[in-house]
């Protein structure tokens, strides 16, 4: 029986003490803390609980000397605002934190020179791996000069098919949106989206047209409406739609900002939402979706899960188990009062 007198003082516990309390071997405890090796979630949790109970603090210097690893990962983002990269980074950090891996966040602000500066610093620190993300889904060029370091691209995939990338499945998201609208009896569905030179707008538009065609339908006005990722564009687009296709009974919008602008314009014109026109947005951005009147049904790109899976793929690559290629994460339909 273990008593308080038998327990090591907080902060002075050894890995062997953690293993003993968790009922596992020292090797298993080490793997649970490092993120290496595969084990049942409950086993890893017992180790983490023991760490918390004992106040165990790993000797990072000793770990580095023993393993040749720095136990740090670089998170490189081009999204200074953080609207899209923040949930990706939080998901990645949660997964990395389970292995007691420190995270170094680098914001390149989309500047190539700043990016190279950050990459040199990460290499000087001998990071074990790098996760790269951004504000758009457009494929990006691979990092240069970091080839020996395992790298995973999250949300914005690499143009090199041999790289490791994790993305949100836009095709799945569009399917959820269109099937939801069709199931509620809508058949005159208009699609309002962002700039045609953005991959997100082009891909979602293409999937929308294809899915409507599969049901014997076409967009309410016969075409997709490309514009801006803004509320102002949503309002302007509704003005045009009501003139050219007054029988439109649903709007599928490329993001929540467009959808909120559209909802405002319809309300100002006395058009009931969702009675006469249903609206579905994209992003599940609380600032927009919950402030919309009525609250907005929307597609959630599951960005935190994108980040989590990117981190898990990176950990596998660090452990010499890389799996090249793109992996897609399913979206979620969040139903609220607008549909």
């Amino acid at each position: 029986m273990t008593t308080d007198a038998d327990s090591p003082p907080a902060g002075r516990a050894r890995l062997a003490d953690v293993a003993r309390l968790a009922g596992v071997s020292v090797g298993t405890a080490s793997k649970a803390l490092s993120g290496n090796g595969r084990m049942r979630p409950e086993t890893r949790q017992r180790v983490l609980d023991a760490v918390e109970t004992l106040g165990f603090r790993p000797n990072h210097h000793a770990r580095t000397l023993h393993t040749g690893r720095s136990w740090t990962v670089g998170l490189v983002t081009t999204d200074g605002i953080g609207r899209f990269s923040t949930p990706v980074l939080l998901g990645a950090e949660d997964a990395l934190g389970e292995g007691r891996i420190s995270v170094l966040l680098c914001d390149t602000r989309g500047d190539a020179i700043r990016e190279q500066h950050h990459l040199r610093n990460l290499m000087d620190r001998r990071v074990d791996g790098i996760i790269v993300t951004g504000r758009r889904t457009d494929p990006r060029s691979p990092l240069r000069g970091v080839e020996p370091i395992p790298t995973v691209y999250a949300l914005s995939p690499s143009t090199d098919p041999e790289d490791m990338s994790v993305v949100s499945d836009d095709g799945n998201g569009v399917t959820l949106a269109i099937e939801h609208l069709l199931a509620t009896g809508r058949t005159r569905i208009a699609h309002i989206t962002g700039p045609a030179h953005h991959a997100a707008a082009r891909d979602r538009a293409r999937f929308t047209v294809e899915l409507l065609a599969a049901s014997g339908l076409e967009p309410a006005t016969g075409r997709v409406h490309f514009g801006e990722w803004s509320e102002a564009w949503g309002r302007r687009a509704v003005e045009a739609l009501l003139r050219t296709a007054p029988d439109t009974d649903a709007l599928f919008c490329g993001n929540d900002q467009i959808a909120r602008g559209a909802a405002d314009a319809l309300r100002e014109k006395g058009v009931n939402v969702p009675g006469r026109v249903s609206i579905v947005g994209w992003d599940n951005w609380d600032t927009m979706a919950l402030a919309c009147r009525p609250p907005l049904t929307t597609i959630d790109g599951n960005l935190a899960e994108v980040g989590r899976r990117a981190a898990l793929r990176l950990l596998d690559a660090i452990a010499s188990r890389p799996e090249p290629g793109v992996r897609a994460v399913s979206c979620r339909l969040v139903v609220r009062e607008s549909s």
Side-chain angles (χ1 to χ4, degrees):
M1 175 175 165
T2 301
T3 66
D4 291 342
D6 298 323
S7 301
R12 294 176 55 188
R14 299 168 303 165
L15 184 60
D17 300 314
V18 172
R20 186 181 305 112
L21 182 58
V24 300
S25 68
V26 172
T28 297
S30 177
K31 290 177 181 177
L33 293 179
S34 68
N36 289 330
R38 299 189 182 278
M39 64 188 67
R40 296 194 303 181
E42 54 266 32
T43 301
R44 189 183 303 276
Q45 190 58 52
R46 286 208 313 275
V47 174
L48 296 178
D49 290 344
V51 166
E52 185 69 24
T53 299
L54 298 175
F56 175 69
R57 296 294 179 266
N59 184 330
H60 289 286
H61 181 64
R63 290 173 80 193
T64 298
L65 291 176
H66 177 68
T67 64
R69 290 179 51 185
S70 67
W71 304 96
T72 57
V73 163
L75 296 181
V76 178
T77 176
T78 62
D79 182 10
I81 299 174
R83 167 66 194 91
F84 299 103
S85 64
T86 295
V88 173
L89 298 178
L90 290 175
E93 193 172 31
D94 285 346
L96 295 169
E98 291 184 4
R100 298 299 191 266
I101 294 175
S102 298
V103 174
L104 301 176
L105 177 61
C106 303
D107 178 12
T108 71
R109 304 179 195 175
D111 181 83
I113 295 176
R114 187 182 294 270
E115 179 175 275
Q116 287 302 310
H117 168 73
H118 283 307
L119 292 178
R120 283 193 296 271
N121 284 340
L122 292 176
M123 294 182 72
D124 288 344
R125 291 172 178 266
R126 300 183 183 278
V127 295
D128 297 323
I130 298 174
I131 295 175
V132 185
T133 189
R135 70 177 68 185
R136 291 166 58 172
T137 63
D138 298 75
R140 58 153 292 157
S141 299
L143 298 182
R144 298 301 179 191
V146 297
E147 285 77 6
I149 303 176
T151 302
V152 178
Y153 299 83
L155 185 63
S156 306
S158 170
T159 54
D160 187 343
E162 292 303 309
D163 283 335
M164 295 179 289
S165 299
V166 181
V167 300
S168 183
D169 190 340
D170 275 12
N172 165 252
V174 172
T175 299
L176 293 173
I178 297 301
E179 288 185 347
H180 171 68
L181 291 172
L182 293 175
T184 58
R186 310 295 169 154
T187 59
R188 297 287 293 162
I189 302 170
H191 185 47
I192 309 169
T193 192
H197 63 272
H198 282 207
R202 290 195 311 274
D203 292 344
R204 292 167 197 171
R206 174 169 55 85
F207 289 129
T208 297
V209 172
E210 289 175 355
L211 283 166
L212 289 175
S215 296
L217 302 172
E218 64 175 8
T221 58
R223 66 181 181 90
V224 170
H225 295 264
F226 292 101
E228 306 162 358
W229 300 115
S230 69
E231 293 176 72
W233 165 235
R235 289 191 291 270
R236 293 198 306 272
V238 163
E239 294 277 353
L241 281 169
L242 292 180
R243 286 195 305 269
T244 58
D247 59 345
T248 297
D249 59 14
L251 304 179
F252 173 35
C253 300
N255 76 351
D256 289 345
Q257 289 171 274
I258 295 171
R260 184 179 175 185
D264 287 346
L266 289 172
R267 187 174 64 252
E268 289 169 4
K269 292 185 174 298
V271 177
N272 182 270
V273 176
R276 180 180 160 195
V277 178
S278 288
I279 305 177
V280 175
W282 191 296
D283 287 333
N284 195 27
W285 183 10
D286 284 355
T287 301
M288 289 291 156
L290 298 182
C292 184
R293 290 294 175 266
L296 186 63
T297 293
T298 184
I299 299 297
D300 189 318
N302 232 351
L303 300 186
E305 181 65 10
V306 169
R308 189 186 76 85
R309 293 198 194 177
L312 294 177
R313 290 190 72 186
L314 183 64
L315 292 175
D316 281 344
I318 292 170
S320 300
R321 297 189 300 270
E323 293 185 0
V326 179
R327 302 289 184 273
V329 174
S330 296
C331 297
R332 296 187 298 115
L333 172 68
V334 182
V335 178
R336 298 190 180 95
E337 288 89 333
S338 71
S339 65

